[in-house]
Amino acid sequence: MRDEVRAFVTEQLADMNYDVDDLDDDTTLGPSGVDLESLALADLAVRVEDRYGLKFADDESEQLALMTVGEFTTMIADRVAGAKSDAA
């Protein structure tokens, strides 16, 4: 699941015109890495919510900018797995 989420996130960043050539799990989403601004972070969050049926809390947006790509994809994969086990 994590690899699928990472591929989706990378695809969405490319679609949003961000350079993903040197993207790895240690690249931060915020200023010192991908350099997503608040609107771009919100756009990415909405795309992830739509794709995986998740909901981010309003106060999580600031935390997302501090996360690495690896942390972000792991968090999403864990939430998806948790949602599936809750539904079972």
Side-chain angles (χ1 to χ4, degrees), residues 33-54:
V34 180
D35 200 20
L36 296 179
E37 296 178 3
S38 58
L39 287 176
L41 279 167
D43 186 14
L44 180 61
V46 167
R47 291 174 185 224
V48 168
E49 288 175 346
D50 289 347
R51 171 67 176 88
Y52 294 102
L54 302 175

Side-chain angles (χ1 to χ4, degrees), residues 60-80:
E60 284 185 294
S61 59
E62 289 181 22
Q63 296 170 358
L64 296 180
L66 302 175
M67 289 183 157
T68 64
V69 171
E71 292 168 338
F72 184 63
T73 56
T74 298
M75 177 189 71
I76 294 164
D78 289 348
R79 286 188 184 187
V80 170

